[in-house]
Amino acid sequence: MAADDRNPTIDDIARRAGVSAMTVSRVINGGARVSAATRERVQTVIDEAGYVPDPAARILARAGAGRIGLLYANPSNAYLAEVLSGALAGARAAGLLLMIEPSQAGDPAQEAEAVRRLAAGGAQGLIVPPPLGESAATLEAIRAAGLKAVLLAAPPVEGMTGALRVDDVGAAAEMTRRLIDLGHRRIGLIEGRADQSASADRRRGAQAAIDASPGVELLIERGDFTYRSGFEAARRLLAARPRPTALFASNDDMAAGALAAVHAEGLQTPGDVSVVGFDDTYLAASVWPALTTIRQPVAEMARRAALRLAGKEQLETQFVEHRLIERESTASPG
């Protein structure tokens, strides 16, 4: 299909009419604050382009309740489930409708379009989980739409209205010290995506604990927060000689992959290799053996983000408390 044959988007209409996507949305939904001349020009472009507004967006735009949006592009289904349950709970408590829009991290045009679709549907603010909270394209689209936004697990950004995160450095240091206290002297770290600050912060925390413990070595491999990347990174770490006796993955999905890699090598967890994760999603308690991990209260963070967008809590950047949860995947080295 030729590029010109595809269904036009609200952004296409805005560009052709020389107005903002928000103005197009107001024309479609019969909103005020649009001059007669602008309304006529936009409507002419809509008619000529054969643009058909998203039915769901139109229904929401005419609903009486306030609306907030949730963007998502996280590869971890377990993490997304936590975000979604918390956001739904917060929106329900505040009497808001929650609109959910997939995005494509790394594709600036798709990221901007996802924000515009939520704006066109009447979203008054957005919950932005990783990795989108550190994407220049998403953040710029949010600013251009004039929306409020609360970022999850991301550093504060000028112009955004708040961020909720844990102390990744402190949490990773705490987990690494726990492994050292158990007697591990050769520890493998599986990092996450290079474009997320949490990856660098968790590495920095682990390294700080190692530097304060003479005789302990940290081996590092890169993953991307997915199960498969954790499996492959763990296989590389386990090929080192001498082999590490503990693996610390930067999220639970990669930790689950690391568990599988240990088993694939004919080894036991925790007898031969201890494995720990980060987040404490439902996956951590579902795998065998159940994972020792850092509890990041993802659902609670998303719930509070919804309340903040509703004006129920002050919009600001805040650290939330983490906890080290010990389960069956750790022990002293065999």
Side-chain angles (χ1 to χ4, degrees):
M1 179 183 290
D4 290 340
D5 291 334
R6 64 179 172 82
N7 291 327
T9 66
I10 195 169
D11 190 43
D12 294 328
I13 301 302
R15 189 163 46 250
R16 296 179 196 179
V19 298
S20 69
M22 183 61 72
T23 297
V24 176
S25 174
R26 291 187 180 121
V27 171
I28 292 170
N29 296 301
R33 294 185 295 171
V34 181
S35 69
T38 299
R39 188 180 300 277
E40 182 178 356
R41 183 168 76 254
V42 171
Q43 190 60 56
T44 298
V45 173
I46 289 173
D47 294 340
E48 290 176 350
Y51 173 68
V52 179
D54 185 327
R58 296 204 66 173
I59 291 170
L60 285 169
R62 291 174 177 174
R67 293 167 295 281
I68 59 174
L70 170 65
L71 286 168
Y72 72 89
N74 196 291
S76 169
N77 287 332
Y79 188 92
L80 176 60
E82 295 284 325
V83 171
L84 184 56
S85 66
L88 284 169
R92 187 181 304 114
L96 299 173
L97 291 173
L98 178 68
M99 306 190 306
I100 305 166
E101 186 68 36
S103 185
Q104 184 64 50
D107 184 330
Q110 290 294 325
E111 290 184 46
E113 178 63 18
V115 173
R116 292 186 191 107
R117 283 177 64 84
L118 287 171
Q124 300 154 343
L126 304 183
I127 301 171
V128 188
L132 297 171
E134 296 182 75
S135 166
T138 290
L139 296 175
E140 179 54 38
I142 291 171
R143 292 189 186 97
L147 296 175
K148 300 184 294 184
V150 177
L151 313 180
L152 302 183
V157 175
E158 185 176 356
M160 296 296 107
T161 48
L164 290 163
R165 59 189 312 209
V166 297
D167 178 3
D168 289 293
V169 176
E174 182 179 350
M175 178 62 84
T176 307
R177 285 194 297 269
R178 180 56 187 147
L179 292 174
I180 294 169
D181 290 345
L182 285 170
H184 296 281
R185 293 297 176 265
R186 195 164 165 85
I187 299 170
L189 175 69
I190 303 175
E191 290 189 285
R193 291 170 48 128
D195 61 351
Q196 288 185 236
S197 62
S199 298
D201 287 347
R202 291 169 195 177
R203 174 174 177 165
R204 192 159 69 249
Q207 190 66 60
I210 296 292
D211 292 343
S213 306
V216 181
E217 184 178 2
L218 186 67
L219 292 73
I220 302 173
E221 287 287 345
R222 172 74 67 186
D224 63 7
F225 288 128
T226 62
Y227 174 95
R228 187 68 196 180
S229 74
F231 178 85
E232 293 171 350
R235 291 291 291 266
R236 295 192 296 271
L237 287 166
L238 293 171
R241 293 294 179 267
R243 184 178 65 227
T245 61
L247 300 178
F248 178 7
S250 291
N251 79 338
D252 292 338
D253 289 66
M254 293 195 299
L259 277 177
V262 172
H263 298 157
E265 292 292 325
L267 302 170
Q268 298 284 326
T269 295
D272 298 309
V273 183
S274 290
V275 176
V276 301
F278 202 110
D279 286 337
D280 197 30
T281 60
Y282 71 82
L283 185 62
S286 302
V287 295
W288 182 86
L291 283 169
T292 294
T293 188
I294 292 291
R295 175 172 293 167
Q296 177 177 207
V298 178
E300 176 62 14
M301 290 160 63
R303 187 188 73 83
R304 291 178 60 184
L307 293 176
R308 289 185 176 202
L309 290 173
K312 305 296 185 182
E313 290 192 10
Q314 185 176 356
L315 289 165
E316 60 182 10
T317 298
Q318 184 176 1
F319 283 105
V320 296
E321 186 177 2
H322 68 268
R323 286 178 55 200
L324 195 159
I325 306 297
E326 292 202 67
R327 295 193 178 97
E328 291 79 34
S329 67
T330 45
S332 296

